[in-house]
Amino acid sequence: MSTGLIIALIVIVAVVAVAAALLMQRSRGSRHGVGLKRRFGPEYDRAVARHDGDTKAAERELAGRVERHGDLRARPLEPAERERYEARWTAAQERFVDSPGDAVAEADRLLAELAGARGFPDGGQYEEQLAALSVHHAHHVEGYRRVHRVAQARAHGAHDGGAGTEELREAMVDARALFDELVRTSRHDGGRHRAAHDGEHRAPAARGSRMPSLLHRRQAKES
């Protein structure tokens, strides 16, 4: 076999090897992206939009969140803690009728405290707390984002964060979804706590459903 033929064969093998490596890397990256999209759901789309459509940059950000917070194991709440949080949320919902902005600000504070109590980063580190929550509760963090945005705007002097009553109500409803996720008994808490929570959780849910009817009564009174 001539030297030229040997060199040609070596070049061909090298090109094939490089092409196979690239295809494997692309396939692995595609599976990685699909996994992130499945895990983060709407948060994936928000990350892509925030990075102006750059999916690679968005996936790097989301992968970083998983690396930092993926191993977090939420601390279970004691029954008395759960009751206190549920009572505070019910009070905030009832306050919404007369003072929507104050109720939304209280919901923001309550979610920050509750997430901290469950073992997520402290509420003083809002961005990092939100990032950690998005890893474990991706489909429900938007409500927290909305009430926090209103609370921050009010803190800087904007009346009710510049939002209308209906927008505030929707923010409270969305935030309630994350509250329910966080206050729910973890599967690691044991059967005794789970059984106790089942009875507690149904009652606040029923109380929570009063908010639209309370708003309806207020609107009827004003008309």
Side-chain angles (χ1 to χ4, degrees):
M1 185 179 293
S2 67
T3 302
L5 184 56
I6 292 173
I7 292 173
L9 288 172
I10 291 173
V11 170
I12 290 171
V13 170
V15 169
V16 170
V18 170
L22 288 174
L23 285 172
M24 187 177 299
Q25 183 177 2
R26 184 177 300 174
S27 175
R28 189 181 300 121
S30 177
R31 289 197 300 271
H32 180 62
V34 169
L36 287 172
K37 192 167 187 176
R38 184 181 302 116
R39 177 167 194 160
F40 282 95
E43 278 295 296
Y44 181 95
D45 296 330
R46 289 188 192 98
V48 171
R50 189 165 55 254
H51 287 280
D52 298 321
D54 187 342
T55 57
K56 297 300 181 187
E59 287 171 5
R60 283 195 296 272
E61 177 193 329
L62 297 175
R65 296 189 203 179
V66 174
E67 184 176 350
R68 294 194 307 275
H69 305 295
D71 292 334
L72 187 150
R73 293 293 176 266
R75 182 185 75 81
L77 295 175
E78 294 296 326
E81 286 183 289
R82 187 176 301 112
E83 288 177 2
R84 285 196 297 272
Y85 283 118
E86 289 175 335
R88 286 177 61 188
W89 187 273
T90 299
Q93 288 189 162
E94 292 174 349
R95 188 179 186 184
F96 187 95
V97 178
D98 296 315
S99 185
D102 288 340
V104 170
E106 172 61 15
D108 175 57
R109 286 190 295 270
L110 183 52
L111 285 172
E113 291 178 29
L114 177 54
R118 291 303 310 266
F120 290 90
D122 183 79
Q125 311 170 60
Y126 167 73
E127 293 295 341
E128 199 60 20
Q129 186 183 67
L130 188 72
L133 286 167
S134 75
V135 173
H136 299 274
H137 302 283
H139 291 270
H140 300 296
V141 292
E142 180 61 14
Y144 184 18
R145 191 180 278 119
R146 292 181 70 179
V147 295
H148 185 76
R149 191 160 51 236
V150 171
Q152 288 298 104
R154 292 183 83 246
H156 289 88
H159 176 66
D160 286 350
T165 301
E166 179 59 22
E167 186 177 347
L168 294 174
R169 188 193 67 80
E170 290 174 358
M172 283 288 288
V173 171
D174 286 350
R176 175 64 192 249
L178 178 60
F179 175 83
D180 285 344
E181 284 283 307
L182 290 174
V183 84
R184 181 179 302 158
T185 306
S186 128
R187 64 174 176 270
H188 302 295
D189 292 354
R192 179 175 58 83
H193 285 176
R194 186 178 298 110
H197 172 66
D198 286 344
E200 295 166 1
H201 187 66
R202 283 193 294 269
R207 290 195 298 269
S209 66
R210 292 176 58 207
M211 187 167 68
S213 63
L214 286 170
L215 286 175
H216 179 73
R217 286 203 296 274
R218 181 190 186 192
Q219 291 165 352
K221 188 188 302 181
E222 291 174 347
S223 62

